[in-house]
Amino acid sequence: MIKKVLVYPNVKRDVGYVYTQQVADFFAARGVKVYATEETAKGLSKELPIRVIEECEKKDMDIVIVLGGDGSMIQGAHFMLGTPVPILGINLGTLGYLTEVEVQDLEKSLRKVLKSDFCVEQRMMLEAEVQVTGRKGSQVFYAVNDLVLHRNLLDGILTVKTYINGANMADFRADGVIVSTPCGSTAYNFSAGGPIVNPVADNIILTPLSSHSALDRSIILMGQDRLSFQIGATGKNFESVFSADGVDHVSLGEGSWIHVKKSEYTFPLVRLLQRSFYEVLQMKL
């Protein structure tokens, strides 16, 4: 049985916390402890005993309910990174590949959650270690969907030396490259002409952006493969931009390195419905 629930809304999608309040009311009325971030707690009814998650252990939650779209789900995954807590999405966005529940089915779905009547898919994540030229040490980033290296749009073509498992695979001259998880294959990777991969597959997808090289197609790698990129000159400013899930951004100069591998962390996605990925794909597309 579910005893502790964290509600994690996107306030821009759930204006006034209308649906978040419904979810909180549902669980509180059934004796379930409801948690929220300090900011969200301030927007919910003072009549409910809402607990602030910042004062507790995230790993002790039984489930996280995200209200928003795919971007909100990714934010929720980063917020809960390193915990095994499953995440359920209530779709208040547009496409909603990652969200499982539509608002018209909200109460019926919450009743299933209350009885733990769901399964959890462990979606693969990526880890990137970034070493910026001229700086000591490195930074580590994680991604549910993708890692993107892109040229400065005011500068020239980006040159990237690409290595797979230590062997030089290609020298891309392109606008950039996308390294995607199977889960993220329907996101930026798909828009860039990359392949759609079953989201529970164990693969890494490398897609060049507007490549000026002979190799201008995606490459599907195995999950255990390791990628490395060394940044070449982009033009007079020698600057490119790295991002993880479109959130964390780092400016990279010539000679900087990015090392990518499958993360030890996963994205535990709640599935309530018995729909296959291909049925969902057909509906969304």
Side-chain angles (χ1 to χ4, degrees):
M1 290 289 290
I2 297 296
K3 297 180 180 179
K4 295 181 179 180
V5 172
L6 169 63
V7 289
Y8 192 87
N10 180 338
V11 67
K12 293 181 180 178
R13 296 289 187 183
D14 189 15
V15 179
Y17 297 112
V18 175
Y19 294 109
T20 307
Q21 189 68 61
Q22 288 183 29
V23 173
D25 287 343
F26 175 89
F27 285 109
R30 290 158 179 81
V32 177
K33 295 178 180 178
V34 180
Y35 295 76
T37 63
E38 185 175 3
E39 179 183 0
T40 299
K42 291 177 181 177
L44 296 177
S45 172
K46 300 300 184 292
E47 297 178 4
L48 286 181
I50 303 296
R51 294 163 173 83
V52 176
I53 191 63
E54 286 88 348
E55 299 173 0
C56 309
E57 291 284 348
K58 295 178 185 178
K59 63 179 178 62
D60 291 337
M61 300 298 105
D62 292 317
I63 193 169
V64 179
I65 297 183
V66 173
L67 296 98
D70 285 349
S72 307
M73 289 290 286
I74 290 171
Q75 289 178 22
H78 281 274
F79 185 73
M80 299 300 293
L81 185 68
T83 75
V85 183
I87 301 174
L88 171 68
I90 310 296
N91 187 26
L92 303 181
T94 50
L95 284 176
Y97 280 104
L98 299 177
T99 54
E100 184 75 358
V101 178
E102 301 298 330
V103 290
Q104 62 266 26
D105 300 320
L106 184 57
E107 184 165 339
K108 178 177 67 175
S109 299
L110 295 181
R111 290 184 183 281
K112 295 186 73 173
V113 169
L114 188 66
K115 296 184 293 184
S116 297
D117 184 14
F118 57 82
C119 63
V120 180
E121 286 183 356
Q122 299 295 338
R123 299 284 180 93
M124 172 182 163
M125 293 183 66
L126 294 173
E127 177 184 318
E129 180 185 4
V130 179
Q131 299 169 330
V132 181
T133 299
R135 297 185 193 171
K136 293 182 179 180
S138 60
Q139 293 176 271
V140 176
F141 300 89
Y142 297 93
V144 173
N145 270 356
D146 49 45
L147 303 164
V148 178
L149 176 63
H150 205 287
R151 71 180 177 93
N152 184 331
L153 293 177
L154 300 178
D155 210 338
I157 296 299
L158 179 65
T159 301
V160 186
K161 284 186 173 296
T162 303
Y163 300 83
I164 298 178
N165 300 325
N168 184 214
M169 188 274 296
D171 291 353
F172 287 113
R173 295 187 71 251
D175 282 354
V177 293
I178 303 169
V179 185
S180 170
T181 63
C183 183
S185 68
T186 52
Y188 192 11
N189 169 74
F190 176 66
S191 300
I196 294 176
V197 177
N198 190 298
V200 295
D202 186 27
N203 294 107
I204 299 173
I205 307 157
L206 172 62
T207 300
L209 292 167
S210 302
S211 177
H212 289 251
S213 307
L215 181 58
D216 61 353
R217 298 292 185 271
S218 298
I219 303 171
I220 300 179
L221 309 175
M222 295 185 294
Q224 65 264 36
D225 287 335
R226 298 199 175 203
L227 277 163
S228 293
F229 303 98
Q230 185 180 32
I231 313 303
T234 60
K236 61 182 179 180
N237 294 324
F238 304 121
E239 187 178 84
S240 57
V241 178
F242 166 84
S243 66
D245 278 339
V247 179
D248 297 307
H249 296 81
V250 180
S251 294
L252 303 177
E254 182 181 3
S256 297
W257 282 89
I258 302 171
H259 302 286
V260 178
K261 64 180 180 180
K262 176 181 176 180
S263 174
E264 64 178 304
Y265 301 130
T266 59
F267 169 34
L269 180 67
V270 170
R271 299 296 307 275
L272 288 174
L273 308 175
Q274 299 303 313
R275 298 180 305 189
S276 74
F277 164 68
Y278 305 104
E279 290 177 283
V280 174
L281 187 65
Q282 190 276 333
M283 288 191 301
K284 301 300 182 181
L285 294 182

